[in-house]
Amino acid sequence: MTSKVVPLDSVKHCDLRVKVDRSYSHIAQQNMVPLMAFEFLPASTNFPIVFVKQSETGKFKSVALMGLENGENVVFSDGKVKTNYVPVNIKRYPFSAGAASADEASMMLCIDENSQLLNNSEGFAIFDEGGQPSAETTEVTQLLTDILARDVASDVFVDFLVEHNLIEPAELTLSLGEEGKRKINGIYKISEEALNELDDDVVLQLYHHKYLPAIYAHLASLGQFNRLLQLKANFTPS
Amino acid sequence: MSKLIKKIVIVGGGTAGWITAAMLAKQHCRGGNSDVSITLIESDDIPTVGVGEGTFPTMRKTLSTIGISETDLIRRCDATFKQGAKFVSWRLNSDKEFYYHPFNVPSGYGKFDLTAYWQKDENRHQYGRFAEAVDFQDQICEAGLAPKKIVTPEYQSILNYAYHFDAVKVAKLIQEKAVELGVQHVVDKVIDVGQNANEYIEFVVCEKSGKISGDFFVDCSGFAALLIGKTMKVPFLPTNKILFNDTAIATQVPYDDEEDIACHTIATGKEAGWIWDIGLSSRKGMGYVYSSNHTSDENAMRTLEQHIGPKAKNLSFRKIPFNSGYREKFWHKNCVAIGLSAGFLEPLEASALILVDNSVEWISERLPTDFNSMEIIAKQFNHGFTKKWQAIVDFLKLHYVLTERTDEVYWRDNMQPESMSERLIESLALWKHHPPHLNDTDAQYDVFPIASIQYVLYGLNFKTDVSAQHYLYNDDKLAQQHFQHNLKMQAKIQASLPNHRALINMIKEHGLQKI
């Protein structure tokens, strides 16, 4: 079902409860999810972290890859979770942060009304009996407020990489056993060659901005393509 | 070795001057790691003509070589994408009559020629106009869509494209890059030219800066032709017996709110010439180019105003008389002419800027080391560019000769064999029984490929009777595959491309990626 993200409304949504689904099945038909720079280190031992262009703006965004074709997720499927790190953008569901106005500093809590996690009997209540946000909702609000700033910081990080010509197309050919070889297009990575040829002052900036761990975590994560292939080999679509 | 060529002086700073300066600097100054210097002298009181707003896909290579960002071009020069030209009312005097000359080549181009198959009645009936049967760009233009997406990197395309842009703003953008690449910019007026006993130019004299000497001079002074014409007296060969147009009235027309921007030049045939309509992002450039022997200025003005409609009331118009033709030589002694100083033809098919691209590419690749090699290179250059100009004149003329507007004097005069070159007459005779073939052009020199000739010929309903060799064209199965493939591609691509204005707005907001 397509999502329908709306601002949370204490009147309209007063009776809603959120089922807790630790298998995150809402992501099972999605092969990538946006990943923020601060998540690169813990994510890098689980999935490939790559850059893709956003279709509305053409701008690069970092994502965690969890499947090798559209609609395929070999990490979250069949009610199983085959990772020890769950990206924030998966965890927060069905909540999301919307900008309240042109002033991006003020965050507005939104919810996907079409989410299967929403119901009137199971899980935690979004609002308490007095119509105030429940403890869980307050916690989510705090998490999302925190993300908002980190998401911006992530975009600044990616812009820095683009500005210094550090991003290049990732030419990936996967051997898929009986299916033969397949080329994957439209994903980008950091160029080790360009990284090694940076001027000293840019390297110093990378260090001061604390970008180096994310950069190397990304490069190391590319080895996880093999893990996806292994998972795919034992994978039966749900 | 004879005298070395180390000091290059460019006179004039329009698009031609600055493209020349930037390309030469890129290739020969090497960021200061060579001993070649480039000086460009431009006067601040001579306005650039700034009418040449349409380009050919070669411009993409030129701009990317210079190092201009395509995003900057879109943002700062009111640039839009151009996927070809739409010719309205050239065959018949009806605004429903049109054909396209798209920049994509026909399906199977160079390997499997679809023209004879397209001429079969059943295929024409099923697949439509030549351009829409053999390619899908025609339909993309009709739908007002862009040739690429926001995720397509700078200068890369989904469908082949060039630009429409504000030439004055482009010259300014390239100027910044050229100066960054090491070009010395002198704002001054050239008042005299000094030659040695062998008529080689030794220096130019400027009003304020005095003498500026050089080894090699490039004349980009526009219609004035300060060096190649005024100083060197290289004769001008008029082409007005072939191409009759000698006057243009130009204007700029505002858009209605969020009006679609055409992704192609629209050229509409009128009683004594044709009207251009070029959509920039900020406004449209429009103008009537006509033969003053076939209409009066008053009538021409009325024709243009009628074409524009009610908006014409508040516009200002500029009349530009011109002599169509080109120099007997473009490179004489140590002076080469690039741009309007080399010649000028009516702005059909954007040929002016193609020749700038071609000339600069040639010269930057083959800049002579010394005066001896210069003589040889100049000879090659003159031979090559005379052929190029002749080919362009023939190609432009081709747009006129197949017209069926026989009740109008201008169009009838255009059909007279006396107004055509021998080569064009021969080619037309050949194409009556043989579809145009890659061998028909001198690929080394012809600016427009056979694909362009096919689009114009068959766009104008030319008949090639292949019945004597019908057995050559019996692979109907393969032809069907090509026609069907085009239909499939069209549907697929049409669904994925953004509206032209929407893409321009997206690029202004987000920019295009370099990769």
Side-chain angles (χ1 to χ4, degrees):
Chain A
M1 195 188 289
T2 53
S3 57
K4 186 186 172 200
V5 177
V6 297
L8 201 58
D9 181 330
S10 61
V11 178
K12 192 170 152 203
H13 300 131
C14 66
D15 293 330
L16 276 186
R17 289 177 166 271
V18 181
K19 228 188 319 185
V20 178
D21 172 15
R22 294 279 179 234
S23 65
Y24 306 101
S25 52
H26 73 274
I27 200 82
Q29 261 97 48
Q30 207 175 310
N31 74 333
M32 58 176 77
V33 68
L35 193 73
M36 286 169 281
F38 81 94
E39 301 181 279
F40 280 24
L41 268 179
S44 64
T45 52
N46 290 282
F47 359 80
I49 302 163
V50 295
F51 303 91
V52 296
K53 285 180 187 168
Q54 300 173 86
S55 58
E56 321 82 60
T57 63
K59 290 211 180 292
F60 287 104
K61 190 103 191 158
S62 47
V63 296
L65 265 192
M66 297 168 303
L68 296 168
E69 46 198 299
N70 281 337
E72 169 193 275
N73 190 324
V74 295
V75 177
F76 296 91
S77 64
D78 267 351
K80 295 195 190 76
V81 174
K82 293 165 188 157
T83 170
N84 56 33
Y85 180 74
V86 180
V88 174
N89 273 307
I90 295 179
K91 243 189 207 162
R92 62 169 172 74
Y93 192 78
F95 295 97
S96 60
S101 62
D103 169 20
E104 287 181 19
S106 57
M107 195 272 283
M108 186 167 52
L109 193 59
C110 299
I111 195 157
D112 177 4
E113 279 190 334
N114 285 347
S115 168
Q116 307 217 333
L117 299 176
L118 297 182
N119 66 94
N120 290 326
S121 52
E122 272 183 85
F124 67 82
I126 297 178
F127 293 102
D128 62 20
E129 281 154 18
Q132 294 302 310
S134 65
E136 288 88 346
T137 306
T138 310
E139 199 180 309
V140 167
T141 309
Q142 190 49 52
L143 172 77
L144 288 178
T145 310
D146 192 37
I147 292 181
L148 212 55
R150 291 184 158 203
D151 200 29
V152 173
S154 232
D155 287 344
V156 173
F157 165 65
V158 176
D159 285 347
F160 186 94
L161 299 176
V162 171
E163 188 190 326
H164 291 90
N165 301 315
L166 286 168
I167 293 192
E168 66 177 13
E171 279 158 17
L172 268 179
T173 309
L174 300 174
S175 315
L176 296 170
E178 284 168 14
E179 286 180 47
K181 290 191 182 240
R182 212 186 50 239
K183 251 179 99 173
I184 296 198
N185 294 317
I187 65 177
Y188 299 79
K189 65 181 194 62
I190 290 177
S191 157
E192 281 193 72
E193 200 186 330
L195 193 62
N196 292 334
E197 281 169 9
L198 283 180
D199 291 338
D200 289 1
D201 63 317
V202 182
V203 176
L204 208 58
Q205 289 179 53
L206 287 177
Y207 173 76
H208 284 305
H209 290 316
K210 301 194 172 64
Y211 288 163
L212 288 171
I215 290 173
Y216 287 104
H218 151 71
L219 288 171
S221 82
L222 299 176
Q224 302 299 335
F225 272 104
N226 288 326
R227 182 163 180 265
L228 291 190
L229 281 174
Q230 279 168 10
L231 290 172
K232 187 181 167 69
N234 307 319
F235 172 71
T236 37
S238 52
Chain B
M1 203 178 245
S2 67
K3 190 182 170 196
L4 294 177
I5 292 174
K6 293 294 177 192
K7 201 164 184 314
I8 302 167
V9 177
I10 300 164
V11 175
T15 3
W18 283 114
I19 287 177
T20 306
M23 286 288 274
L24 285 177
K26 180 89 189 175
Q27 182 82 339
H28 295 281
C29 294
R30 302 263 152 182
N33 290 325
S34 82
D35 54 355
V36 172
S37 78
I38 298 169
T39 305
L40 184 145
I41 308 167
E42 82 177 317
S43 160
D44 56 2
D45 65 352
I46 300 173
T48 42
V49 172
V51 169
E53 299 186 319
T55 61
F56 202 61
T58 49
M59 183 55 69
R60 264 158 61 199
K61 191 179 162 202
T62 302
L63 293 173
S64 69
T65 305
I66 294 171
I68 302 277
S69 132
E70 191 172 44
T71 302
D72 285 348
L73 184 78
I74 304 284
R75 286 181 178 163
R76 290 184 45 191
C77 307
D78 303 338
T80 55
F81 298 107
K82 168 182 175 184
Q83 302 186 62
K86 178 180 184 177
F87 294 94
V88 183
S89 311
W90 284 66
R91 184 171 72 90
L92 301 171
N93 188 2
S94 149
D95 50 13
K96 298 213 169 42
E97 163 67 27
F98 72 89
Y99 71 94
Y100 272 92
H101 169 201
F103 290 145
N104 268 11
V105 297
S107 183
Y109 186 61
K111 297 190 196 87
F112 181 74
D113 188 357
L114 280 171
T115 48
Y117 295 95
W118 170 75
Q119 292 206 96
K120 295 183 181 182
D121 284 341
E122 64 275 19
N123 288 333
R124 289 186 67 153
H125 184 72
Q126 187 175 352
Y127 300 109
R129 297 186 299 279
F130 178 71
E132 74 177 328
V134 303
D135 180 62
F136 48 88
Q137 196 161 27
D138 170 306
Q139 288 296 307
I140 297 298
C141 289
E142 282 291 285
L145 301 179
K148 66 193 290 181
K149 297 193 258 189
I150 189 73
V151 293
T152 316
E154 291 201 331
Y155 295 116
Q156 290 186 28
S157 63
I158 294 174
L159 290 95
N160 197 10
Y161 68 83
Y163 310 100
H164 291 135
F165 56 44
D166 181 325
V168 176
K169 291 180 179 172
V170 168
K172 182 89 186 83
L173 181 65
I174 300 175
Q175 175 192 323
E176 283 170 23
K177 203 71 191 176
V179 170
E180 206 179 295
L181 290 168
V183 174
Q184 293 163 48
H185 183 197
V186 177
V187 181
D188 209 338
K189 196 173 169 187
V190 173
I191 47 173
D192 199 10
V193 181
Q195 288 171 282
N196 70 12
N198 298 323
E199 290 178 22
Y200 280 77
I201 300 178
E202 292 200 318
F203 56 85
V204 293
V205 182
C206 295
E207 214 166 52
K208 291 174 284 186
S209 328
K211 246 190 211 181
I212 295 176
S213 57
D215 307 316
F216 181 53
F217 290 82
V218 188
D219 187 347
C220 297
S221 64
F223 285 134
L226 282 182
L227 307 180
I228 198 87
K230 269 197 187 126
T231 306
M232 301 217 139
K233 312 241 165 5
V234 173
F236 184 83
L237 309 176
T239 51
N240 55 352
K241 296 272 185 295
I242 301 172
L243 299 169
F244 305 147
N245 297 341
D246 59 5
T247 314
I249 309 174
T251 188
Q252 297 179 350
V253 183
Y255 283 110
D256 296 327
D257 262 359
E258 291 306 303
E259 183 181 339
D260 271 352
I261 303 173
C263 205
H264 47 272
T265 300
I266 303 163
T268 307
K270 293 288 172 183
E271 58 270 25
W274 55 278
I275 287 174
W276 74 78
D277 178 347
I278 287 182
L280 307 194
S281 56
S282 55
R283 53 148 175 96
K284 290 190 253 193
M286 287 178 101
Y288 186 20
V289 52
Y290 57 92
S291 158
S292 64
N293 281 326
H294 291 89
T295 190
S296 64
D297 289 347
E298 295 73 39
N299 280 337
M301 190 67 206
R302 207 170 307 131
T303 300
L304 181 58
E305 281 174 343
Q306 270 170 11
H307 185 82
I308 295 170
K311 280 184 194 167
K313 265 186 290 191
N314 309 316
L315 304 177
S316 61
F317 294 86
R318 196 157 59 104
K319 188 177 144 187
I320 308 159
F322 61 87
N323 296 314
S324 88
Y326 52 90
R327 299 277 157 192
E328 188 184 277
K329 282 191 224 172
F330 312 98
W331 193 328
H332 184 58
K333 309 278 181 181
N334 63 338
C335 171
V336 67
I338 297 182
L340 301 177
S341 55
F344 181 77
L345 301 174
E346 59 188 86
L348 192 60
E349 299 279 11
S351 51
L353 279 170
I354 306 178
L355 282 168
V356 170
D357 277 341
N358 279 213
S359 309
V360 175
E361 197 181 351
W362 186 314
I363 290 166
S364 80
E365 272 174 25
R366 302 288 284 169
L367 182 71
T369 50
D370 60 35
F371 275 52
N372 280 348
S373 48
M374 180 156 65
E375 250 180 72
I376 304 162
I377 290 175
K379 210 188 288 174
Q380 292 177 344
F381 186 91
N382 286 327
H383 175 72
F385 278 81
T386 300
K387 288 208 156 198
K388 280 176 192 276
W389 279 92
Q390 286 169 346
I392 290 179
V393 170
D394 282 346
F395 180 62
L396 298 193
K397 184 68 175 179
L398 182 65
H399 292 68
Y400 294 95
V401 300
L402 302 171
T403 186
E404 293 165 30
R405 295 179 67 156
T406 47
D407 49 353
E408 292 157 285
V409 185
Y410 172 81
W411 294 93
R412 216 165 43 227
D413 284 353
N414 260 304
M415 299 168 71
Q416 301 310 312
E418 304 84 71
S419 74
M420 302 176 203
S421 77
E422 237 169 82
R423 183 180 123 148
L424 180 59
I425 293 172
E426 265 182 17
S427 300
L428 287 168
L430 180 68
W431 295 330
K432 276 212 159 73
H433 301 288
H434 302 258
H437 188 272
L438 296 187
N439 291 352
D440 297 350
T441 64
D442 195 341
Q444 193 186 344
Y445 302 118
D446 272 352
V447 174
F448 292 95
I450 279 293
S452 297
I453 291 171
Q454 290 173 330
Y455 283 126
V456 175
L457 268 185
Y458 299 108
L460 288 164
N461 239 0
F462 186 77
K463 294 275 186 308
T464 299
D465 178 1
V466 295
S467 54
Q469 291 183 334
H470 60 90
Y471 52 85
L472 289 177
Y473 308 101
N474 58 8
D475 198 346
D476 289 300
K477 206 174 143 206
L478 186 54
Q480 287 305 320
Q481 279 173 15
H482 278 285
F483 290 133
Q484 286 296 333
H485 175 73
N486 269 319
L487 285 179
K488 251 187 243 143
M489 287 296 285
Q490 183 209 318
K492 189 177 155 205
I493 286 181
Q494 187 158 348
S496 74
L497 289 172
N499 167 279
H500 186 207
R501 182 185 284 280
L503 180 66
I504 296 293
N505 289 342
M506 274 190 266
I507 294 173
K508 283 185 174 172
E509 187 178 349
H510 303 291
L512 288 165
Q513 299 293 339
K514 293 209 169 6
I515 56 163

